[in-house]
Amino acid sequence: MPNATLPVSSSFTASDGASFPPGAFWLPEEQAFNFSLFSRNATAITLLLYRADDLLTPCLRVCFCLPHNKTGDMWHARLPADRVGDACYYGYSVAGPHRPEDGLLFDAEKLLLDPYARGVFFPPDFDRDAACKPGPTAGRAPLGVLPERTATTPPPSRRPRRHDHDLVIYELHVRAFTRDPSSGVDPAQRGSYAALTARIPYLKALGVTAVELMPIFQRDPLHGTFWGYMPLNFFSPHAGYASDGTVATSWREFRAMVAALHEAEIEVFLDVVYNHTGEDHAGGPVWSYRGIDNPSYYTRAPGLPFRPTNRSGCGNDLDVAAPMVRQLILSSAWFWIEEMGIDGLRFDLASMFSVDETGHINLAEPPIITELSTAAHMRQTRLIAEPWVGDGSLMQLGRAFPGRTWRQWNARFRDDIRRFLRGDDGCVPALMTRLYGSTDLFPDDRAHAARPYQSINYIAIHDGLTLRDLFSYDDPGQIAANCGHQGIDGAPEPVQALRRRQTRNAFCLLMLANGTPMFQAGDEFGHSRGGDPNPYDRDDETNWLDWRQTENESALLRFVRMLIAFRAAHPSIARSVGWRDDVSWHGVDGGEPDLRPVSRSLAFFLRGAAMADDDLYVFINGWDDTLHFALPEVARGGPTPWRSLVDTAAAPPADILTAETATPVSDMARLPAQARSIRVLLRTRPDATIR
């Protein structure tokens, strides 16, 4: 646990306690603990300390007495070590009016968790139901873990180099990544931070340069939300991902994992949920925020009785514009960056941050977005938005999102690529826009000066079908087509062959597009969730990766590895600006592209000279028949021959080759592309040598 960095206190502060920072901190220079808790509407607060051998009866009760232990809305106290004794856990009893119609839910019998706790302990008799109804919860409620008195916070691990054109994001779930016995890690470590560390050589070989961890904030272990999008505490790594399930080990293994990923030159991003909490809908458990000061932490719909808003779709939206909640979010973000060493934050339902203190959408200067964007200590942090809200009422993709420099999950890229691969009408113009860098959403004109890398391009991610399922199940809501057979079992070989080709096509379009590519763990070797687009509560083989697939689908894994390496080797693909005059678009005959609604084909020539790179020619056939492409006049000639490096219709290993193993293309007038396939040609720059 970390120690506080506070100035030496004056005598009255030493006796009364300091109001800032919130939380519980050990002060080594004073050999004392400082406790501080926000509550605007409470009438009395009592700090309760517990020993490990008695989780029912507190070993010390400390009443925060007026006027000494309250400053503004902060209640505080400072306790010398000898008074704390061998206590190791703490919680609060918060008294106040109980008027549900006004949103006031104070109940002094409830044992409440400090929102700033740096560790959460769940007693053996932890009981979710007890927190949902009146009555005491001592011995059945989560407790904060007191900071250690001797440990010092180690410095953050060495940061990896900041990737640019070679940034490839790999989304994974810590437990699902290695929980299956096929993961090959020590059985005692499966599903843990330590197990992920053991699999870093696989990530390095795959070629990804950033991992985005699905939520790892501490959550209720009884809630059943496997994906982690119902956080209980914003400062604690989920202890369930520690190899032994303890708070201390979760800290140690998480930091070791980050350090090891950094040593492998892999950045670490966290998927963070600050828009709602695991206290759930109205009538849910009273664990922390709801009992400490419900109307100060959660937003309400206009009128009486008090009714929480539900933009998040979870029934208890945090009031992210309120100063105390903003401080909570900013403190948490800074904690994960500074103390835990992570490199980026992906904000779940980030459009919730557009709400200002009046409850209205503020696109000019939404408080929390402005503070995150301008804070000096956040300048080197990747800020990534999911630019919409859960109830679908607000979509801010692209320039509509107030964080002008943030990266954003590009759902339009996902949908447009899926439609093209499915064979929908009218997709070629959209395909061109997505490949170019989605300048309709991220315009690069003088007024906006957006960058292509702000577009996080993806086709399949945790929220929806896996890539394999996308081509194995008919699902109109997911823009999915099954290639002629519903489900995976019993699919005839021609159907399986088409699915493999479509999977390679999807990876090709993802890696050939300007922007920042992202894909989910397991898609590179055909992980299936049985067609379930939302198994958020399944802690089983539905979400667990089956590593035997790395052998069964070794050809696909090889293709993805080489494609990622190809993208990294060619900076002309992912640029800091649009391709502009370096790209020309063509049709099958080498002339202008066919933009009619019935069109299913496209080619483009990407010159690499401006980036000291090779030239690329890509032709894409979305038809069910073979097409023969003619090389356009602008791509003819040159000092070196064209070589065919990628052909998604070819049998492995001919589906992807290196420039050294690829032979020159002989007939440049008729370049065949089989049905539903993509080919990539490369012409080396004059100063390059093919061995």
Side-chain angles (χ1 to χ4, degrees):
M1 302 298 112
N3 301 319
T5 303
L6 296 174
V8 175
S9 303
S10 61
S11 58
F12 64 81
T13 304
S15 61
D16 296 349
S19 61
F20 188 85
F25 289 95
W26 170 246
L27 309 177
E29 71 279 5
E30 298 184 25
Q31 292 293 291
F33 291 92
N34 194 85
F35 298 87
S36 179
L37 182 73
F38 163 86
S39 183
R40 177 170 297 134
N41 294 296
T43 56
I45 292 181
T46 302
L47 170 67
L48 308 171
L49 301 182
Y50 294 85
R51 290 192 298 265
D53 59 359
D54 189 349
L55 301 174
L56 189 62
T57 305
C59 62
L60 181 64
R61 296 174 180 267
V62 179
C63 295
F64 290 5
C65 299
L66 296 175
H68 292 284
N69 300 121
K70 187 172 186 288
T71 303
D73 295 328
M74 304 302 297
W75 301 69
H76 47 81
R78 188 162 296 182
L79 302 179
D82 57 359
R83 190 176 178 197
V84 173
D86 56 357
C88 49
Y89 307 121
Y90 73 105
Y92 289 98
S93 168
V94 181
H98 189 81
R99 296 197 304 270
E101 67 276 12
D102 295 328
L104 298 171
L105 302 177
F106 292 104
D107 181 353
E109 290 189 310
K110 287 285 184 285
L111 181 58
L112 301 176
L113 175 69
D114 179 4
Y116 284 81
R118 288 333 199 239
V120 181
F121 173 75
F122 295 90
D125 294 329
F126 173 66
D127 186 346
R128 178 181 176 85
D129 291 338
C132 296
K133 56 190 178 184
T137 53
R140 295 178 291 175
L143 294 166
V145 178
L146 284 176
E148 296 178 8
R149 308 181 194 190
T150 56
T152 58
T153 302
S157 63
R158 180 191 68 83
R159 301 284 181 174
R161 71 178 180 87
R162 191 174 175 87
H163 301 91
D164 43 49
H165 80 279
D166 61 338
L167 180 61
V168 177
I169 303 173
Y170 187 71
E171 187 200 41
L172 65 85
H173 186 283
V174 170
R175 180 169 170 84
F177 194 58
T178 61
R179 183 64 185 87
D180 193 87
S182 62
S183 64
V185 299
D186 185 333
Q189 292 186 336
R190 290 174 190 159
S192 69
Y193 304 114
L196 195 159
T197 302
R199 298 267 14 190
I200 288 176
Y202 171 83
L203 300 175
K204 189 70 173 176
L206 182 59
V208 297
T209 52
V211 293
E212 183 172 295
L213 306 181
M214 290 175 66
I216 53 84
F217 287 173
Q218 181 63 60
R219 64 179 187 273
D220 169 12
L222 300 181
H223 191 278
T225 52
F226 178 71
W227 280 357
Y229 287 93
M230 296 294 283
L232 175 60
N233 176 274
F234 299 140
F235 294 84
S236 307
H238 185 60
Y241 299 158
S243 57
D244 64 1
T246 66
V247 172
T249 301
S250 70
W251 270 69
R252 184 179 67 255
E253 289 185 353
F254 183 90
R255 293 181 64 91
M257 175 194 70
V258 172
L261 286 163
H262 284 176
E263 285 298 316
E265 296 296 340
I266 297 174
E267 299 179 51
V268 181
F269 305 160
L270 295 188
D271 187 344
V272 292
V273 183
Y274 292 122
N275 55 79
H276 69 279
T277 78
E279 286 188 318
D280 222 331
H281 53 79
V286 178
W287 273 327
S288 183
Y289 320 90
R290 184 170 278 156
I292 292 170
D293 200 333
N294 183 57
S296 291
Y297 276 107
Y298 295 113
T299 58
R300 63 186 297 170
L304 291 175
F306 184 95
R307 182 167 56 88
T309 61
N310 192 29
R311 288 191 177 101
S312 66
C314 297
N316 63 340
D317 300 340
L318 277 175
D319 189 356
V320 296
M324 190 59 208
V325 179
R326 297 206 313 265
Q327 181 183 4
L328 178 73
I329 295 170
L330 291 166
S331 298
S332 172
W334 179 234
F335 162 77
W336 290 102
I337 294 163
E338 179 66 13
E339 294 192 33
M340 305 304 270
I342 61 96
D343 309 286
L345 298 167
R346 178 268 188 190
F347 293 87
D348 179 67
L349 304 182
S351 291
M352 296 277 287
F353 290 175
S354 299
V355 179
D356 65 18
E357 292 183 60
T358 69
H360 296 92
I361 303 301
N362 183 340
L363 299 182
E365 290 188 357
I368 188 64
I369 291 178
T370 300
E371 289 163 344
L372 286 165
S373 301
T374 58
H377 56 265
M378 301 289 286
R379 288 175 183 167
Q380 295 303 310
T381 303
R382 315 265 197 181
L383 300 178
I384 303 171
E386 182 184 38
W388 51 81
V389 298
D391 66 0
S393 64
L394 186 61
M395 167 63 79
Q396 295 180 315
L397 180 57
R399 57 188 168 184
F401 186 73
R404 294 282 297 271
T405 61
W406 290 36
R407 286 171 163 84
Q408 300 177 33
W409 275 28
N410 190 345
R412 286 281 298 279
F413 184 97
R414 174 199 65 197
D415 293 351
D416 287 342
I417 299 301
R418 287 187 180 192
R419 289 190 179 98
F420 177 82
L421 291 171
R422 190 172 65 175
D424 289 9
D425 287 344
C427 291
V428 170
L431 176 62
M432 293 169 60
T433 302
R434 300 298 152 238
L435 290 171
Y436 184 83
S438 294
T439 47
D440 58 334
L441 302 170
F442 302 94
D444 56 359
D445 56 10
R446 182 195 60 80
H448 298 92
R451 299 300 190 102
Y453 55 72
Q454 290 179 251
S455 173
I456 303 292
N457 299 333
Y458 66 100
I459 300 171
I461 213 65
H462 78 269
D463 191 6
L465 294 177
T466 68
L467 199 58
R468 185 179 188 188
D469 290 347
L470 188 66
F471 304 118
S472 302
Y473 295 87
D474 272 344
D475 187 336
Q478 291 287 312
I479 319 177
N482 65 21
C483 297
H485 177 88
Q486 185 72 353
I488 292 174
D489 294 340
E493 177 53 36
V495 169
Q496 295 185 47
L498 178 56
R499 289 174 177 175
R500 289 191 290 267
R501 188 179 305 180
Q502 286 284 64
T503 302
R504 290 192 291 267
N505 290 339
F507 269 109
C508 259
L509 294 176
L510 180 65
M511 294 299 166
L512 291 172
N514 202 355
T516 303
M518 174 179 66
F519 64 99
Q520 67 178 325
D523 275 352
E524 72 274 19
F525 51 75
H527 175 64
S528 170
R529 296 199 298 240
D532 189 341
N534 189 32
Y536 69 93
D537 57 348
R538 301 285 297 275
D539 186 6
D540 58 25
E541 292 82 358
T542 305
N543 282 305
W544 301 350
L545 298 190
D546 183 352
W547 289 89
R548 293 172 297 182
Q549 287 290 98
T550 60
E551 297 297 328
N552 299 337
E553 296 290 344
S554 59
L556 173 59
L557 180 56
R558 170 187 173 273
F559 182 88
V560 175
R561 283 173 172 166
M562 292 186 67
L563 194 60
I564 293 173
F566 175 83
R567 179 184 174 92
H570 296 289
S572 64
I573 298 173
R575 306 190 187 192
S576 64
V577 297
W579 292 337
R580 297 181 178 264
D581 292 340
D582 284 341
V583 70
S584 58
W585 305 94
H586 303 281
V588 174
D589 61 359
E592 294 297 313
D594 184 355
L595 304 181
R596 296 176 299 163
V598 297
S599 178
R600 303 282 191 278
S601 61
L602 177 68
F604 65 92
F605 173 40
L606 183 60
R607 303 165 188 83
M611 304 296 294
D613 197 3
D614 305 320
D615 294 334
L616 301 178
Y617 194 75
V618 178
F619 43 106
I620 304 163
N621 179 10
W623 289 101
D624 292 326
D625 299 306
T626 298
L627 295 179
H628 289 82
F629 286 74
L631 202 69
E633 192 64 35
V634 295
R636 294 179 182 270
T640 59
W642 286 101
R643 299 170 185 266
S644 179
L645 268 63
V646 177
D647 184 351
T648 62
D655 53 352
I656 185 165
L657 304 168
T658 64
E660 290 78 12
T661 58
T663 57
V665 176
S666 56
D667 186 358
M668 302 304 294
R670 288 176 57 82
L671 300 166
Q674 294 185 42
R676 300 295 185 104
S677 73
I678 297 172
R679 291 189 63 183
V680 180
L681 275 58
L682 178 142
R683 183 171 64 189
T684 56
R685 60 188 183 274
D687 61 336
T689 301
I690 299 294
R691 295 183 182 86

